[in-house]
């Protein structure tokens, strides 16, 4: 043998196709020239690429084992640089080996795309949680054929069941071979003898049915919720994408949100601050009467425990905070002025109602 491809990949001569694939995957990650900048990495990568192209093809492997020739190996060209530096090795290796005998029939297609939607919620929604119906146009798996595109599948004649087709191009520098997904069977290796009329063999249909999304209590503004499997449908039985819902909490002119606390500005009269009394405030649960203690100072707080918003990450509930501002009248009557003067005199005598 001119070259020992088994030694190149580090596998035994009787290694299974799966063992060859795993060995190639491991070495390709190690020596890929875009990932390994050491000297000789490019040459090493070409060697393991050539070895896998031979040992990964049952017919070529049989010829190699029997005659020890590797002349056909020079056409095994597959350059990973076409992927613009973004490497998903699992997808790349599946595509690479599908052209050399590793792909099983009925393989899955491309997963569905993720979708993004936005919803507006109120503080009442944040307090109790809610459900929104999001209307959108998206592709969903055909219920008639369950995403298969038809029934009574037969081997694709274009790719002979491989799911991939190879193209060779002769150039002054030699023959360059590329592998691409078969357009006739979309990479599955099979075509339906009876095409589904509902989806025209695509396996997916366009749906405008709304998607119900549960908005949890305590949700925060700008939070992204993931709804698994509610994105675009995948191809040939591949999983659907996900739906990501961005939540916007609308501002409320009555309250200010401070994490799990709700804050309200509440003015009270000078006499109520001094003598105490009962005021009425607006809460998420409606209007509520609140006691003001005598001697309440300006900018002080009255807290209603656990009447704020729930914490999304725990069982804790915030408070409803009333920030008190004492109103000072701009004008007073003659009678009020006399009473205030009397009040001032009594204060100087260090006499207090309290």
């Amino acid at each position: 043998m001119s070259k020992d491809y088994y030694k190149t990949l580090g596998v035994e001569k009787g290694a299974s196709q799966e063992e060859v694939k795993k060995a190639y995957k491991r070495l390709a990650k190690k020596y890929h020239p875009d990932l390994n900048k050491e000297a000789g990495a490019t040459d090493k990568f070409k060697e393991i690429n050539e070895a896998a192209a031979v040992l990964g093809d049952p017919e070529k492997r049989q010829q190699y084992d029997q005659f020890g020739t590797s002349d056909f190996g020079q056409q095994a060209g597959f350059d990973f640089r076409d992927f613009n530096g973004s490497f998903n090795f699992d997808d790349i290796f599946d595509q690479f080996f599908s052209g050399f005998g590793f792909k099983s029939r009925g393989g899955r297609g491309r997963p569905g795309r993720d979708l993004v939607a936005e919803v507006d919620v109120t503080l009442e929604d944040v307090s109790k949680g809610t459900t929104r119906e999001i209307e959108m146009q998206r592709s969903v798996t055909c219920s008639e054929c369950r995403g298969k595109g038809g029934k009574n599948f037969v081997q694709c004649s274009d790719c002979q069941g491989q799911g991939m087709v190879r193209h060779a191009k002769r150039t002054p520098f030699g023959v360059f071979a590329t592998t691409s997904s078969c357009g006739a069977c979309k990479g599955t290796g099979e075509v339906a003898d009876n095409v589904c009329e509902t989806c025209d063999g695509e396996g997916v249909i366009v749906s405008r049915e709304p998607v119900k999304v549960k908005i949890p209590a305590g949700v925060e503004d700008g939070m992204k919720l993931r709804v698994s499997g509610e994105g675009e449908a995948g191809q040939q039985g591949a999983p659907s994408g996900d739906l990501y819902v961005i939540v916007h909490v609308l501002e409320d002119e009555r309250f200010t949100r401070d994490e799990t606390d709700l804050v309200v500005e509440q003015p009270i009269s000078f006499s109520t601050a001094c003598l105490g009394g009962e005021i009425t405030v607006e809460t998420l649960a409606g209007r509520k009467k609140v006691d003001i203690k005598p001697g309440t100072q300006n900018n002080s707080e009255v807290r209603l425990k656990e009447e704020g918003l729930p914490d999304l990450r725990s069982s804790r509930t915030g408070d409803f905070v009333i920030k008190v501002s004492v109103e000072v009248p701009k004008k007073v009557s003659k009678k009020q002025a006399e009473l205030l003067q009397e009040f001032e005199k009594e204060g100087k005598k260090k006499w207090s109602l309290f």
Side-chain angles (χ1 to χ4, degrees):
M1 295 185 182
S2 59
K3 295 183 180 180
D4 191 340
Y5 290 141
Y6 291 102
K7 185 177 180 180
T8 299
L9 295 183
V11 296
E12 299 293 332
K13 188 173 181 179
S16 65
Q17 295 290 76
E18 186 62 29
E19 289 173 331
V20 173
K21 178 180 179 180
K22 288 182 179 179
Y24 174 77
K25 183 175 181 179
R26 174 177 56 82
L27 292 172
K29 286 183 178 180
K30 182 178 180 180
Y31 290 105
H32 191 285
D34 283 355
L35 302 178
N36 189 332
K37 302 302 181 181
E38 296 181 1
T42 299
D43 293 337
K44 183 66 175 179
F45 181 75
K46 291 180 179 179
E47 291 179 7
I48 62 176
N49 187 22
E50 178 181 327
V54 174
L55 300 184
D57 188 311
E59 294 182 3
K60 289 184 178 182
R61 182 174 180 178
Q62 182 180 3
Q63 182 178 351
Y64 173 75
D65 291 341
Q66 185 174 359
F67 300 107
T69 178
S70 60
D71 293 342
F72 42 68
Q74 301 303 320
Q75 295 184 14
F78 191 91
D79 191 356
F80 288 89
R81 296 178 183 271
D82 293 337
F83 291 86
N84 298 321
S86 177
F87 300 100
N88 184 332
F89 276 99
D90 290 332
D91 292 343
I92 294 172
F93 290 125
D94 285 343
Q95 183 187 36
F96 177 65
F97 281 107
S98 63
F100 301 106
F102 285 96
K103 185 175 178 67
S104 61
R105 292 181 184 177
R108 287 188 171 185
R110 181 178 300 175
R113 295 184 307 159
D114 294 335
L115 298 177
V116 179
E118 299 180 82
V119 296
D120 294 334
V121 297
T122 64
L123 286 179
E124 284 82 1
D125 297 328
V126 175
S127 176
K128 300 178 181 179
T130 186
T131 299
R132 286 284 191 273
E133 287 193 350
I134 300 178
E135 296 184 359
M136 64 175 63
Q137 179 174 298
R138 62 194 176 115
S139 63
V140 298
T141 300
C142 177
S143 59
E144 186 68 25
C145 64
R146 298 182 180 180
K148 296 181 179 180
K151 57 183 179 179
N152 300 332
F153 284 82
V154 296
Q155 179 176 295
C156 176
S157 59
D158 285 24
C159 64
Q160 285 73 50
Q162 294 298 316
M164 306 291 287
V165 291
R166 300 180 65 193
H167 309 276
K169 184 177 182 180
R170 189 174 298 277
T171 71
F173 302 99
V175 177
F176 290 87
T178 59
T179 305
S180 62
S181 179
C182 177
C185 65
K186 299 179 181 178
T188 64
E190 298 176 326
V191 292
D193 190 30
N194 295 328
V195 177
C196 176
E197 296 181 358
T198 302
C199 64
D200 293 328
E202 294 296 324
V204 296
I205 59 174
V206 177
S207 173
R208 294 176 176 80
E209 292 186 5
V211 180
K212 289 186 177 181
V213 178
K214 184 177 180 181
I215 310 296
V219 67
E220 299 170 4
D221 183 58
M223 184 169 287
K224 184 185 293 184
L225 305 178
R226 175 174 173 265
V227 187
S228 180
E230 292 295 347
E232 295 275 7
Q235 297 178 354
Q236 290 89 46
S240 299
D242 298 328
L243 172 63
Y244 289 90
V245 180
I246 302 175
V247 180
H248 300 291
V249 181
L250 299 175
E251 293 185 2
D252 194 308
E253 60 182 12
R254 301 168 298 171
F255 317 115
T256 301
R257 182 179 185 177
D258 183 10
E259 296 183 353
T260 58
D261 290 341
L262 282 179
V263 182
V264 62
E265 300 281 347
Q266 182 65 43
I268 61 173
S269 65
F270 177 74
S271 59
T272 301
C274 294
L275 303 174
E278 188 177 77
I279 62 173
T280 301
V281 295
E282 185 76 22
T283 70
L284 284 178
R287 298 180 67 82
K288 185 171 184 176
K289 293 182 178 181
V290 178
D291 290 329
I292 299 297
K293 296 180 179 180
T296 296
Q297 300 298 304
N298 188 43
N299 294 326
S300 61
E301 294 182 353
V302 178
R303 284 184 173 266
L304 305 181
K305 292 294 184 180
E306 298 185 352
E307 294 193 27
L309 299 174
D311 189 335
L312 182 63
R313 302 170 183 82
S314 69
S315 58
R316 189 180 69 85
T317 302
D319 299 334
F320 190 87
V321 182
I322 305 169
K323 286 192 173 182
V324 175
S325 59
V326 179
E327 287 187 321
V328 178
K330 295 181 179 180
K331 293 182 179 181
V332 295
S333 64
K334 183 177 180 181
K335 181 64 175 179
Q336 288 174 325
E338 292 174 353
L339 292 174
L340 287 172
Q341 289 172 356
E342 185 66 25
F343 178 80
E344 181 70 16
K345 291 179 182 179
E346 291 297 320
K348 290 180 179 180
K349 293 179 181 179
K350 300 187 182 301
W351 181 89
S352 174
L353 293 174
F354 315 108

